[in-house]
Amino acid sequence: MLIRTTAVTVEADLIAAATEAPLFKPVDLGGLSSSEAFAGLVPGAQVVKAFNHLRPGLVAGDPANRGGRRVLFYPSDDAPAKAEVGALVDRLGFFGLDLGPLAVGGRLFQFPGGPLPALDRIRFG
């Protein structure tokens, strides 16, 4: 993940991190997922990786699709923050899928490298 910054002040308790490598080139993060690396840049913040595994048009569009709801993944190391983002995902009409901690779930839809990025999944029922 490439993050360019000079000085950043974060005044937030919860961050829904919709970040990915803009150049789509893998970089050595010392064994961390990009989400864990990002969380290390905002110490004390509750980081939830969300809203970035689908193309923007799908996230901005109607989550109801073919009689089901479009799936959004969200991992985090913080259970209350994850619950809050999960509730937001649900209020927006999507079906949220908790992928566990950042070290596991973050890798699943990390781009490049994860098996889940850009997958448009629909939950029926």
Side-chain angles (χ1 to χ4, degrees):
M1 180 166 75
L2 175 65
I3 296 177
R4 294 185 186 147
T5 182
T6 51
V8 175
T9 301
V10 176
E11 295 185 19
D13 295 324
L14 187 149
I15 299 172
T19 58
E20 286 299 342
L23 301 177
F24 307 116
K25 295 180 184 178
V27 296
D28 182 5
L29 297 174
L32 298 175
S33 69
S34 60
S35 302
E36 291 172 294
F38 176 78
L41 296 173
V42 288
Q46 302 162 304
V47 175
V48 181
K49 180 174 180 156
F51 302 104
N52 67 327
H53 74 280
L54 293 175
R55 294 183 317 272
L58 294 176
V59 175
D62 188 352
N65 192 285
R66 299 182 300 247
R69 293 191 302 163
R70 186 161 275 119
V71 175
L72 284 180
F73 305 126
Y74 60 96
S76 179
D77 294 336
D78 187 282
K82 194 181 335 185
E84 191 171 334
V85 170
L88 172 62
V89 166
D90 188 61
R91 281 193 311 272
L92 292 173
F94 293 91
F95 178 80
L97 187 58
D98 179 349
L99 292 182
L102 291 174
V104 176
R107 290 182 199 285
L108 289 174
F109 66 99
Q110 179 170 293
F111 185 84
L116 300 177
L119 291 180
D120 183 14
R121 295 291 182 233
I122 307 296
R123 181 178 189 276
F124 298 98

